[in-house]
Amino acid sequence: MARHSPQSPWLDGATPDQSLLDTVTIGHVRDAADRIAGVAHRTPVVTSRSIDALTGASVLFKCENLQRVGAFKFRGAYNALSRLPSGSGGVIAFSSGNHAQGVALAAALLNVPAVIVMPADAPKTKRAATEAYLARAPEGSRIVAYDSNEEQREEIGGRIARDEGLTLIPPYDHPEIIAGQGTAALELVDQAVASGFTPIDRLYVCTGGGGLLSGCATVFKSLAPGCLVTGVEPAKGDDVTRSFADGVLRHVRDPDETATTIADGARTHFPGRHTLPIILDRVDRMQTVADPDLARAMFLCLERMRMVVEPTGALALAGLLQDAAREPDAVRGKNIAVLITGGNLDLDQIPSIRAIARGS
Amino acid sequence: MARHSPQSPWLDGATPDQSLLDTVTIGHVRDAADRIAGVAHRTPVVTSRSIDALTGASVLFKCENLQRVGAFKFRGAYNALSRLPSGSGGVIAFSSGNHAQGVALAAALLNVPAVIVMPADAPKTKRAATEAYLARAPEGSRIVAYDSNEEQREEIGGRIARDEGLTLIPPYDHPEIIAGQGTAALELVDQAVASGFTPIDRLYVCTGGGGLLSGCATVFKSLAPGCLVTGVEPAKGDDVTRSFADGVLRHVRDPDETATTIADGARTHFPGRHTLPIILDRVDRMQTVADPDLARAMFLCLERMRMVVEPTGALALAGLLQDAAREPDAVRGKNIAVLITGGNLDLDQIPSIRAIARGS
């Protein structure tokens, strides 16, 4: 696997390492696409009269909520696991969310043992889905639950990894993960061309640690260099936006608030060593959206498009709607692509998300 | 327009009029398809690994929840309105649901004045959607609200129709409505062939008054005569199932219970003069499902397929799942088509539908 271990402390103010830029190119994304072909879904693209009417633009949605495990995360996980040297002892991942499910399913399909380190209070449905995938993975595959108040997952995970000789699969800061996520953009460009949706004037991508954004930006700067690529973060998880503004590593503005955004897939505190230089090189713009706007975007997906989207998965649409409200001329008449990234919405949370949507 | 006025009382025990069978043929459905082409969506078909795994079958879903107005009802409404003689004074419909929205949008598109008679306590979202469509229809178009405890909608509607010279557009008991709904099956057969999903061994269709069922059965008995066509009703709205069993008109078993099923689009008390003879002639089987099973089928659509489906829209899937549980060999290995009929789910009802799903 390509190098991805820290070579120097990655602290607030650190300068991104430009030499890492060549670890993810359009060629790497194409290779990843070959690996996941026939395994990951080629997810559909859809349009919506309602959203077009709201924005005055022609909007094409790439539906990664319909990907296996319900999120784009499967692309990167499968790509990374398929690149493990033969005879590797297995993998370990820390996640209670979509990355856990992506790694667990990839492990089952590639016959690689996997350990998923997950907080004991993770949602039951997510735990159950991960367990169901691991049941089909080799012996030794399991969930390790920890008490998030008492223990550090890195400590537990590190010990298990050493004892069992496992390879850590990080959720975003890894060239093979980034290249895998970029395959969504590769398909999107193909699908846009096939349906006459060209040129794509703008692309909106949801952003947590920047794995999807850096992969997609790599594809667009190669195949559609005229497209304005925007990453969209929750205002309470604005690490990439701050880093983008300053050109160096920045953490979130308020670490205590990060856990409170409904965009639970984008609660990262800082971007990665690999993702940040790529984002600085290939992304045109970052923006943040407030939770009420994000909640309203999610309900638009559910009510107008009849698609189940989790809050994080609606970040890109929320960014577009914010632009349409603030600078209508910038989007009117444009061809705009929006990545819908995940559909693992806990339906029982709808009343509380509705209350947030009604806020201002 | 074809004749559809009652010639004799349509009371419990009445014998269906065989002469009405020729008012809806495959030719009528093809004509309707020409009329709605480019106006109604050619809705997608989708598959689901989860549902295939649950049933042991290969299941193809026709997604009418993604139709304009969020339900197949637009097909029939547009077809019926486009057949009005020129110079007609306009139309009137009684509905608080998807038929109202279908007629309102068709009226706007065809520039026909429309009056929709709706209970004063109809859900605000449905009223708002209908109002938005009527705002684009000719002057005089409006919603007439009535107090369902004080007044009969037929009385109010009849008076307005006479005073203003309006044509009643019934929700299902009309040849042009039936032919319009049948276009969904015409597309489904085409799409199944195009994707190698042949032969279709079974078709499941949700059933209220039988407009969709009779239209689809007409198509399947002509183009795929070997397919077993099943209509699925809520147990509390079993009018078609009872009529099918006895070969004559039967009302629901318990009229007081009909309003309590979560399948609010299938609360009919009896099938139509036109739909019943066609159903007796072209449908192979009727079945009923209990509300908890229906609620669970709806949640499968939301959680596994990430598609927003209203309770009524999940009837056909609930029927298939019931068969898979009771007679697994009858469905295992088969190609099965399922019509998802509507996506106008009130998300705020999810907690109460969840409680029903948890019942037995």
Side-chain angles (χ1 to χ4, degrees):
Chain A
M1 302 185 84
R3 68 196 160 115
H4 65 275
S5 322
Q7 303 298 319
S8 61
W10 187 233
L11 302 173
D12 196 278
T15 306
D17 180 352
Q18 297 298 314
S19 76
L20 295 177
L21 279 176
D22 59 7
T23 62
V24 185
T25 65
I26 183 76
H28 293 105
V29 180
R30 289 197 194 282
D31 290 344
D34 288 342
R35 280 177 215 119
I36 68 170
V39 183
H41 291 319
R42 184 178 169 90
T43 54
V45 290
V46 302
T47 59
S48 160
R49 282 171 190 267
S50 301
I51 306 294
D52 285 0
L54 274 174
T55 57
S58 293
V59 186
L60 191 68
F61 293 90
K62 174 69 171 167
C63 300
E64 285 296 296
N65 56 326
L66 304 179
Q67 185 51 267
R68 294 184 80 171
V69 316
F72 71 93
K73 292 282 188 179
F74 176 66
R75 296 176 182 269
Y78 189 88
N79 186 51
L81 265 66
S82 69
R83 294 284 285 160
L84 288 172
S86 65
S88 299
V91 297
I92 187 165
F94 312 142
S95 167
S96 57
N98 294 334
H99 178 59
Q101 294 185 52
V103 171
L105 176 57
L109 294 169
L110 290 162
N111 211 34
V112 171
V115 174
I116 308 291
V117 181
M118 189 178 269
D121 58 356
K124 275 181 198 168
T125 50
K126 296 204 166 176
R127 186 183 165 119
T130 305
E131 262 169 359
Y133 295 129
L134 290 180
R136 293 147 51 194
E139 214 184 312
S141 296
R142 64 194 188 279
I143 290 175
V144 173
Y146 68 98
D147 179 341
S148 52
N149 297 318
E150 299 283 324
E151 305 165 277
Q152 289 288 320
R153 65 183 192 179
E154 286 76 9
E155 212 168 290
I156 305 163
R159 181 168 37 75
I160 298 170
R162 279 190 305 276
D163 291 353
E164 305 187 21
L166 306 178
T167 304
L168 175 67
I169 305 294
Y172 55 88
D173 197 21
H174 189 297
E176 302 294 358
I177 295 286
I178 297 168
Q181 320 304 32
T183 60
L186 211 54
E187 289 175 14
L188 169 58
V189 170
D190 272 0
Q191 291 165 314
V193 169
S195 52
F197 192 88
T198 52
I200 303 178
D201 299 305
R202 288 179 168 228
L203 170 71
Y204 290 80
V205 183
C206 97
T207 308
L212 180 66
L213 177 60
S214 51
C216 292
T218 298
V219 169
F220 269 71
K221 286 303 130 175
S222 175
L223 303 182
C227 177
L228 184 90
V229 176
T230 299
V232 187
E233 286 189 307
K236 293 173 186 169
D238 59 350
D239 49 312
V240 178
T241 304
R242 288 166 50 81
S243 302
F244 189 81
D246 292 352
V248 297
L249 175 66
R250 294 291 178 217
H251 287 219
V252 287
R253 188 175 312 268
D254 185 347
D256 293 339
E257 276 213 326
T258 310
T260 67
T261 175
I262 56 172
D264 57 351
R267 289 176 178 160
T268 50
H269 283 205
F270 48 87
R273 285 173 179 277
H274 286 83
T275 59
L276 183 55
I278 296 173
I279 289 168
L280 289 169
D281 186 55
R282 299 165 200 169
V283 171
D284 297 296
R285 181 168 163 260
M286 290 297 307
Q287 73 184 122
T288 62
V289 294
D291 271 23
D293 294 324
L294 180 56
R296 286 192 282 268
M298 189 197 83
F299 281 112
L300 280 179
C301 293
L302 284 154
E303 293 171 342
R304 302 292 183 89
M305 303 176 67
R306 279 101 187 169
M307 275 206 315
V308 177
V309 173
E310 60 187 275
T312 309
L315 274 167
L317 174 59
L320 165 59
L321 294 171
Q322 182 167 280
D323 282 348
R326 293 182 181 173
E327 309 173 78
D329 291 340
V331 301
R332 191 178 294 134
K334 297 286 202 302
N335 286 334
I336 297 180
V338 168
L339 264 163
I340 299 287
T341 49
N344 292 324
L345 171 65
D346 178 351
L347 295 172
D348 298 331
Q349 298 299 316
I350 281 183
S352 63
I353 301 174
R354 179 76 81 186
I356 290 165
R358 288 186 176 132
S360 59
Chain B
M1 303 185 83
R3 66 195 162 116
H4 65 275
S5 323
Q7 303 301 317
S8 61
W10 186 234
L11 302 173
D12 196 278
T15 305
D17 180 352
Q18 298 297 313
S19 76
L20 296 176
L21 279 177
D22 59 6
T23 62
V24 185
T25 65
I26 183 76
H28 293 105
V29 180
R30 289 196 193 282
D31 290 346
D34 288 343
R35 280 177 215 117
I36 69 169
V39 184
H41 291 320
R42 184 179 169 90
T43 54
V45 290
V46 302
T47 58
S48 161
R49 283 170 190 266
S50 301
I51 306 295
D52 285 0
L54 274 174
T55 57
S58 293
V59 185
L60 192 68
F61 292 90
K62 174 69 170 166
C63 300
E64 285 295 297
N65 56 326
L66 304 180
Q67 185 52 268
R68 294 184 79 171
V69 315
F72 70 93
K73 293 281 187 179
F74 176 67
R75 296 175 181 270
Y78 188 89
N79 186 52
L81 265 67
S82 68
R83 295 284 285 160
L84 289 171
S86 65
S88 299
V91 298
I92 187 165
F94 313 142
S95 167
S96 57
N98 295 333
H99 178 58
Q101 295 185 52
V103 171
L105 176 57
L109 294 170
L110 290 162
N111 212 32
V112 172
V115 174
I116 307 291
V117 182
M118 191 178 269
D121 58 355
K124 274 180 198 169
T125 50
K126 296 203 167 177
R127 186 183 166 117
T130 305
E131 263 169 0
Y133 296 129
L134 290 180
R136 292 146 52 194
E139 212 184 313
S141 296
R142 63 195 189 277
I143 291 175
V144 173
Y146 68 98
D147 179 341
S148 52
N149 297 318
E150 300 283 323
E151 306 164 276
Q152 289 288 321
R153 66 182 191 179
E154 285 77 7
E155 213 167 288
I156 306 164
R159 180 168 38 75
I160 298 171
R162 278 190 307 275
D163 290 354
E164 305 187 22
L166 306 177
T167 304
L168 175 67
I169 305 293
Y172 55 88
D173 197 21
H174 189 296
E176 301 295 356
I177 295 285
I178 296 168
Q181 320 302 31
T183 61
L186 211 54
E187 289 176 13
L188 169 57
V189 170
D190 272 0
Q191 291 166 314
V193 169
S195 53
F197 192 88
T198 52
I200 304 178
D201 299 307
R202 288 179 167 228
L203 170 71
Y204 289 81
V205 184
C206 99
T207 309
L212 180 67
L213 177 61
S214 52
C216 290
T218 298
V219 169
F220 269 71
K221 286 302 129 176
S222 174
L223 303 182
C227 177
L228 183 91
V229 175
T230 300
V232 187
E233 284 189 307
K236 293 173 184 168
D238 59 350
D239 49 311
V240 179
T241 303
R242 287 165 52 80
S243 302
F244 188 82
D246 291 352
V248 296
L249 175 65
R250 293 290 178 217
H251 287 219
V252 287
R253 188 176 311 267
D254 184 347
D256 292 339
E257 275 213 327
T258 310
T260 67
T261 176
I262 56 171
D264 57 350
R267 289 176 178 161
T268 50
H269 282 204
F270 48 87
R273 286 173 179 277
H274 286 83
T275 59
L276 183 55
I278 296 173
I279 289 168
L280 290 169
D281 186 56
R282 298 166 200 168
V283 171
D284 297 295
R285 181 168 162 257
M286 290 298 306
Q287 73 183 123
T288 62
V289 293
D291 272 22
D293 293 324
L294 179 56
R296 286 191 283 269
M298 189 197 84
F299 280 113
L300 278 179
C301 293
L302 285 154
E303 293 172 341
R304 303 292 184 89
M305 303 176 65
R306 278 103 189 169
M307 274 206 317
V308 177
V309 173
E310 61 187 275
T312 309
L315 274 167
L317 174 59
L320 166 59
L321 294 171
Q322 182 167 281
D323 282 348
R326 293 182 180 172
E327 308 173 78
D329 290 341
V331 301
R332 191 176 295 133
K334 297 287 202 300
N335 286 335
I336 297 180
V338 168
L339 264 163
I340 299 286
T341 49
N344 292 324
L345 171 65
D346 178 351
L347 295 173
D348 298 330
Q349 298 299 317
I350 281 184
S352 64
I353 301 174
R354 179 76 82 185
I356 291 165
R358 287 190 176 129
S360 59

